[in-house]
Amino acid sequence: MSKRSAYDEDEARNVTSKTVSGNGPTTVVESEDVAMEGQLEDQFSDEFESDGEIIELDDDDDEEDADLNAEEYFEKKQKKAEEILLKENEEAKESSGPQLYLPNISRPLGPDEVLEADPTVYEMLHNVNLPWPCLTLDIIPDNLGSERRNYPQSILMTTATQASKKKDNELMVLKLSHLTKTLVKDDDNVDNEDDDEDDDEAGEPILENESLPLRDTTNRLRISPYATVQQEILTSTMSENGEVFIYDLTPQTRAFETPGYQIPKTAKRPLHTIRNHGNVEGYGLDWSPLIKTGALLTGDCSGMVYLTQRHTSKWVTDKTPFTVGNNKSIEDIQWSRTESTVFATAGCDGYIRIWDTRSKKHKPVISTVVSNTDVNVISWNEKMGYLLASGDDKGTWGIWDLRQFSPNSEKALPVAQYDFHKGAITSISFNPLDESIVAVASEDNTVTLWDLSVEADDEEIKQQKAEIKELEQIPPQLLFVHWQKEVKDVKWHKQIPGCLVSTGTDGLNVWKTISV
């Protein structure tokens, strides 16, 4: 499966280092339960013109009309012409009405057509241009409080580049501030514009950046859940060369808050480097949400998973890996949210496996087939510890109830499963503030938001499908489709309800929809 986007070194690049609001990804139609993407330019044919139009009638029935007198004959022909005209008018009216455009399903855009962001379906939308594409990102917890709904917003985050030359790679610590609401102009109510400007303190968003040099591309990056609680921001990165680095990004974030603060040179070097994977790269990486001292799992493309823990100030990696010995890549790792010794892995063999770190044999407790292709990503539900989401290489994603997994059976039925996406799933994440909402990123250039609490037999949904025929191919649980070129990773912000940050070849998108 394709994990990286191709980059041509000779291709001209247009690089900026500021945040641009309102001209990023696009999204389409917002019905009451489904928000979709984009507006198409030049997509409709000319309006139907009835004045002076000539209606050609079929003369096949002339023989049977021979017995009719002139008045009856012309009356019959006139009635038939009116029927044809009425039918064509109805068809023209249907074709000129609003059309639902799905970037991953509908026809490709023509040379004169573009997707434009519809500001009415976004509460916030900003695009951040970076020097290089990034494969991964994570949100840094801050001290600004939870349940933040007022604007402007501020976000701390980190990402790592995929530069054309390895020596140019960086670990970037970003502060995005003055993120305002997406403004929707209302010509009928000009008085509200001044109120909106006062409320949102309209102005340009601000991007601040502190970078650390890296020797290679970073496949995956994760922030410790105890970043602010322990007064340290432990960050792990898994490199293409097989090395895993552990950093403390506290000095970098302190530089944003303290003018003139000089970051020590030692703070640009890792606290610890894990080399147990040799030169085998990997994608599996996760911090334990229950072990406060620091416990990190790392999995590579040869099927090896290593556990690294901190004892006092020293990091120790177990020499014996967790493995089934089939040499199949570990694509993702997730610690349990309720059991401190339990974790799950997803691999190229199509299995989800449940492990216990107390196992002396370092073998899985349960192995269950969930796909006939690579399982790329998994996500554990933050509030319901028995639910696990997974996404595979064919674009199918599903929800699994771990209570149905059995050591004696290799197969289980999903609680829900969808094949809406037309490309490999690259990221999947339960909303940490709402156990029924899931974000799914795919190689079909879309991020979709789903509400698993919606029932398929809802009367309102049935009515919408009857009115808009395109809705027949859309699952009722689908809330929103966000377009972003070659999107690789998406994360929810735990302190700003409904806010997401996603990364693709066009940079970072910071967005919040009116649906969540």
Side-chain angles (χ1 to χ4, degrees):
M1 89 184 206
S2 172
K3 294 292 194 309
R4 300 181 181 79
S5 57
Y7 177 76
D8 186 352
E9 294 186 28
D10 298 328
E11 182 181 356
R13 298 189 57 81
N14 188 9
V15 177
T16 63
S17 293
K18 72 173 185 177
T19 310
V20 182
S21 63
N23 61 350
T26 54
T27 300
V28 192
V29 175
E30 168 77 327
S31 61
E32 293 184 39
D33 285 292
V34 180
M36 289 291 128
E37 291 233 10
Q39 300 173 347
L40 293 177
E41 295 181 356
D42 303 326
Q43 63 177 329
F44 304 126
S45 59
D46 293 337
E47 291 186 4
F48 179 82
E49 297 178 0
S50 59
D51 294 341
E53 184 163 0
I54 299 175
I55 304 297
E56 295 184 3
L57 303 179
D58 192 354
D59 293 327
D60 292 343
D61 297 333
D62 283 351
E63 293 182 2
E64 64 183 58
D65 294 339
D67 297 334
L68 300 176
N69 59 40
E71 184 177 351
E72 291 175 337
Y73 176 81
F74 284 111
E75 184 178 341
K76 181 177 180 180
K77 291 298 183 182
Q78 183 178 0
K79 185 177 181 180
K80 188 173 183 179
E82 289 175 352
E83 291 176 353
I84 294 174
L85 187 61
L86 180 62
K87 182 179 180 180
E88 292 185 356
N89 272 328
E90 290 177 350
E91 291 176 352
K93 185 177 180 180
E94 290 178 1
S95 65
S96 63
Q99 294 185 2
L100 185 64
Y101 185 83
L102 300 173
N104 58 333
I105 293 180
S106 302
R107 62 172 177 79
L109 294 176
D112 298 327
E113 295 175 329
V114 295
L115 281 173
E116 294 181 349
D118 182 357
T120 63
V121 298
Y122 286 98
E123 185 173 309
M124 176 175 65
L125 174 60
H126 297 279
N127 184 43
V128 183
N129 298 319
L130 298 178
W132 304 102
C134 299
L135 297 174
T136 182
L137 66 93
D138 208 352
I139 308 295
I140 300 176
D142 57 43
N143 296 313
L144 299 179
S146 301
E147 293 288 329
R148 304 204 303 265
R149 300 180 185 274
N150 296 327
Y151 291 88
Q153 295 282 6
S154 180
I155 293 175
L156 279 176
M157 60 166 293
T158 181
T159 186
T161 61
Q162 182 193 10
S164 59
K165 296 180 180 179
K166 293 185 176 182
K167 65 180 182 63
D168 294 332
N169 279 297
E170 296 177 315
L171 174 64
M172 305 177 71
V173 184
L174 306 175
K175 181 181 180 181
L176 310 176
S177 55
H178 218 281
L179 300 175
T180 59
K181 286 183 76 171
T182 299
L183 299 178
V184 180
K185 293 184 178 180
D186 186 357
D187 295 334
D188 298 330
N189 193 358
V190 180
D191 294 338
N192 286 340
E193 292 184 2
D194 295 334
D195 295 338
D196 291 339
E197 289 181 2
D198 292 339
D199 292 342
D200 298 333
E201 300 179 19
E204 288 295 322
I206 300 171
L207 170 63
E208 299 174 76
N209 173 34
E210 292 291 343
S211 299
L212 290 76
L214 296 174
R215 297 195 297 263
D216 216 324
T217 296
T218 298
N219 292 338
R220 191 154 288 173
L221 176 153
R222 291 291 179 264
I223 301 288
S224 168
Y226 293 101
T228 55
V229 175
Q230 302 290 73
Q231 298 301 312
E232 60 181 353
I233 302 175
L234 292 179
T235 305
S236 56
T237 65
M238 196 153 195
S239 302
E240 190 176 329
N241 63 8
E243 293 180 319
V244 179
F245 301 107
I246 298 176
Y247 293 92
D248 180 7
L249 300 182
T250 305
Q252 282 72 25
T253 59
R254 186 176 299 162
F256 298 140
E257 308 301 330
T258 309
Y261 176 78
Q262 295 294 321
I263 299 175
K265 291 183 178 180
T266 55
K268 295 189 176 184
R269 295 194 292 267
L271 299 176
H272 181 72
T273 302
I274 302 171
R275 296 188 172 89
N276 297 59
H277 297 279
N279 60 356
V280 180
E281 69 174 323
Y283 296 88
L285 186 69
D286 197 31
W287 289 97
S288 170
L290 300 176
I291 302 176
K292 295 182 179 181
T293 54
L296 181 69
L297 286 167
T298 57
D300 62 34
C301 292
S302 65
M304 304 293 182
V305 177
Y306 287 92
L307 172 62
T308 300
Q309 299 185 80
R310 180 165 57 178
H311 301 280
T312 61
S313 61
K314 185 179 181 181
W315 295 90
V316 178
T317 302
D318 290 353
K319 294 181 179 180
T320 304
F322 296 89
T323 182
V324 294
N326 63 2
N327 203 38
K328 297 291 185 179
S329 175
I330 299 294
E331 297 293 278
D332 202 2
I333 295 175
Q334 283 270 291
W335 280 96
S336 167
R337 272 41 181 173
T338 57
E339 301 290 336
S340 62
T341 62
V342 175
F343 67 94
T345 62
C348 283
D349 55 5
Y351 278 81
I352 286 179
R353 292 187 167 88
I354 308 299
W355 310 70
D356 194 317
T357 58
R358 296 169 297 183
S359 171
K360 295 181 179 180
K361 295 182 179 180
H362 285 62
K363 298 296 181 183
V365 178
I366 299 174
S367 297
T368 301
V369 178
V370 299
S371 176
N372 58 3
T373 186
D374 302 9
V375 182
N376 299 332
V377 287
I378 52 177
S379 174
W380 221 305
N381 193 300
E382 297 276 353
K383 296 187 177 183
M384 305 174 97
Y386 53 85
L387 292 182
L388 190 72
S390 69
D392 68 20
D393 224 25
K394 290 184 178 179
T396 301
W397 72 275
I399 306 294
W400 307 89
D401 188 338
L402 299 185
R403 296 173 299 182
Q404 298 178 4
F405 284 22
S406 171
N408 302 322
S409 176
E410 287 196 348
K411 291 187 177 181
L413 294 176
V415 175
Q417 196 167 52
Y418 305 92
D419 59 359
F420 176 80
H421 284 284
K422 305 305 177 184
I425 305 300
T426 57
S427 182
I428 192 166
S429 180
F430 274 106
N431 185 340
L433 303 179
D434 189 334
E435 65 274 9
S436 66
I437 305 295
V438 184
V440 182
S442 169
E443 286 186 353
D444 62 12
N445 303 318
T446 64
V447 179
T448 52
L449 304 183
W450 302 75
D451 186 353
L452 301 179
S453 66
V454 175
E455 298 181 4
D457 59 352
D458 186 278
E459 290 299 327
E460 187 176 352
I461 293 175
K462 288 182 179 179
Q463 183 179 353
Q464 289 176 352
K465 286 186 176 182
E467 295 173 353
I468 305 176
K469 63 181 181 178
E470 290 92 342
L471 289 179
E472 294 178 358
Q473 59 184 322
I474 299 174
Q477 292 77 20
L478 181 61
L479 282 179
F480 198 88
V481 179
H482 171 84
W483 188 90
Q484 185 174 5
K485 186 177 180 181
E486 296 183 18
V487 59
K488 294 298 182 183
D489 202 2
V490 61
K491 287 287 183 297
W492 295 93
H493 198 299
K494 294 183 179 181
Q495 297 169 275
I496 306 176
C499 177
L500 300 106
V501 183
S502 52
T503 179
T505 54
D506 59 352
L508 301 173
N509 291 169
V510 182
W511 50 288
K512 180 179 178 179
T513 78
I514 62 175
S515 303
V516 179

